[in-house]
Amino acid sequence: MSLTPSQQKAVGARGNVLVMAGAGAGKTQTLIARCVALICEERVSLDEILVVTFTEAAAADVKRRLRAALEESEDPHSASQLALFDAAHIGTLHGFCFKLARAHFHQLGLDPQLTVLDEAQTRLLADEILDGQFDLHYEKDDEFSRAVLETIKTYGGGRDEKIRGLVWRLHNYIQTRADAKRWLETQIRNFSSAEPVQWRKWLGEAISDWRNEWQPALEALDGENPKAAECLEILGKYQPPELFKKVLAADGRENF
């Protein structure tokens, strides 16, 4: 198969390698060539290679193209590896993790009959849990439940559909975080603060970055453009609020 110099470099690289490429750049072709090189040139067994994708369709495409490449190869080792093809670890990332969980359920403290819910089942179960939570707050009269009802009244117009949607969006977002629980606790702490310390820090950093970006450009125009000289003078006189100074000093950025 024909590969570009960059693709050939990716095929031959060993160790921890990160390859970044956009759509249509030939990622799958490069991946197949890398697997064939490991099998034919380094005599790696197919069952020692792990290939994971994000979708079932992509995994099926990798399997089809890798089998075809091995069948076309004239290397005797390729023929022997075709016999191991059904045992090859080629599939989705979540599928591989599920196999690991089932194989080590006793160490993880899981039910040996665990299954993976599909998207429809997951949404149905989540909706049932949300129903229970909203019903609970509708029935109770404590401070938190009153706050929930006030949120529904203020931001949902008295209906909870919009709030449910917000809960879903928040849930889906925090699943992308490395430590969802810690991130959520941090956000709750920030929003619960009487003073918007974090927001002021972000604002101070934004102003600092803006000033650092434009000051060299204004200095280059100084003497040629009166407005540039005027803006440069204003920037030179600007001093951040005291809180910004304290935050920046703590971060080692005193020169604002």
Side-chain angles (χ1 to χ4, degrees), residues 140-161:
K140 296 176 68 175
D141 190 32
D142 55 38
E143 182 179 356
F144 185 73
S145 294
R146 288 194 294 272
V148 171
L149 297 181
E150 185 63 27
T151 301
I152 294 172
K153 178 181 177 182
T154 304
Y155 298 101
R159 302 177 63 86
D160 61 30
E161 287 83 358

Side-chain angles (χ1 to χ4, degrees), residues 210-236:
W210 177 83
R211 177 181 174 176
N212 293 338
E213 178 183 358
W214 282 101
Q215 190 165 357
L218 292 172
E219 290 173 347
L221 295 173
D222 189 20
E224 301 177 11
N225 188 313
K227 286 297 182 182
E230 183 180 345
C231 291
L232 188 60
E233 183 180 359
I234 293 173
L235 286 181

Side-chain angles (χ1 to χ4, degrees), residues 104-159:
H104 302 280
F105 69 91
H106 56 290
Q107 294 169 292
L108 298 172
L110 299 175
D111 188 317
Q113 300 300 319
L114 76 158
T115 59
V116 177
L117 299 178
D118 59 32
E119 186 175 352
Q121 292 173 315
T122 302
R123 185 59 187 255
L124 181 61
L125 181 59
D127 284 339
E128 290 178 358
I129 295 174
L130 273 179
D131 286 340
Q133 288 297 309
F134 277 101
D135 290 343
L136 179 65
H137 294 303
Y138 287 143
E139 295 171 359
K140 296 176 68 175
D141 190 32
D142 55 38
E143 182 179 356
F144 185 73
S145 294
R146 288 194 294 272
V148 171
L149 297 181
E150 185 63 27
T151 301
I152 294 172
K153 178 181 177 182
T154 304
Y155 298 101
R159 302 177 63 86

Side-chain angles (χ1 to χ4, degrees), residues 4 49 60 238:
T4 67
I49 298 175
Y238 177 77

Side-chain angles (χ1 to χ4, degrees), residues 8-251:
Q8 292 173 355
K9 186 177 180 181
V11 169
R14 294 294 178 265
N16 295 323
V17 181
L18 173 63
V19 178
M20 299 179 65
K27 295 186 294 296
T28 303
Q29 179 184 17
T30 305
L31 179 62
I32 299 302
R34 183 177 172 87
C35 291
V36 172
L38 287 170
I39 293 171
C40 297
E41 298 174 12
E42 301 185 24
R43 292 301 190 256
V44 173
S45 179
L46 183 57
D47 59 0
E48 295 176 333
I49 298 175
L50 170 64
V51 179
V52 293
T53 64
F54 287 110
T55 66
E56 296 287 354
D61 185 44
V62 170
K63 287 182 179 180
R64 177 183 61 78
R65 294 169 68 169
L66 180 56
R67 179 185 286 275
L70 291 176
E71 289 174 346
E72 293 174 2
S73 174
E74 298 179 356
D75 191 296
H77 188 59
S78 298
S80 65
Q81 293 306 298
L82 284 171
L84 300 174
F85 206 86
D86 290 337
H89 305 295
I90 304 174
T92 62
L93 179 62
H94 55 277
F96 175 71
C97 292
F98 181 58
K99 288 181 180 179
L100 285 180
R102 294 198 68 174
H104 302 280
F105 69 91
H106 56 290
Q107 294 169 292
L108 298 172
L110 299 175
D111 188 317
Q113 300 300 319
L114 76 158
T115 59
V116 177
L117 299 178
D118 59 32
E119 186 175 352
Q121 292 173 315
T122 302
R123 185 59 187 255
L124 181 61
L125 181 59
D127 284 339
E128 290 178 358
I129 295 174
L130 273 179
D131 286 340
Q133 288 297 309
F134 277 101
D135 290 343
L136 179 65
H137 294 303
Y138 287 143
E139 295 171 359
K140 296 176 68 175
D141 190 32
D142 55 38
E143 182 179 356
F144 185 73
S145 294
R146 288 194 294 272
V148 171
L149 297 181
E150 185 63 27
T151 301
I152 294 172
K153 178 181 177 182
T154 304
Y155 298 101
R159 302 177 63 86
D160 61 30
E161 287 83 358
K162 187 175 181 179
I163 308 305
R164 288 172 181 264
L166 291 174
V167 171
W168 261 108
R169 287 175 58 188
L170 178 60
H171 168 76
N172 292 335
Y173 177 75
I174 64 176
Q175 297 310 302
T176 66
R177 312 298 298 187
D179 189 340
K181 182 179 179 182
R182 182 179 179 183
W183 180 87
L184 192 58
E185 290 174 347
T186 300
Q187 301 310 306
I188 292 174
R189 185 167 58 253
N190 288 341
F191 280 98
S192 300
S193 174
E195 291 291 332
V197 176
Q198 183 65 55
W199 306 100
R200 288 175 177 169
K201 178 182 178 182
W202 288 336
L203 178 58
E205 291 174 345
I207 295 175
S208 175
D209 292 340
W210 177 83
R211 177 181 174 176
N212 293 338
E213 178 183 358
W214 282 101
Q215 190 165 357
L218 292 172
E219 290 173 347
L221 295 173
D222 189 20
E224 301 177 11
N225 188 313
K227 286 297 182 182
E230 183 180 345
C231 291
L232 188 60
E233 183 180 359
I234 293 173
L235 286 181
K237 293 179 179 179
Y238 177 77
Q239 294 296 327
E242 287 301 319
L243 180 58
F244 289 173
K245 289 183 180 179
K246 293 178 181 178
V247 171
L248 294 172
D251 288 347

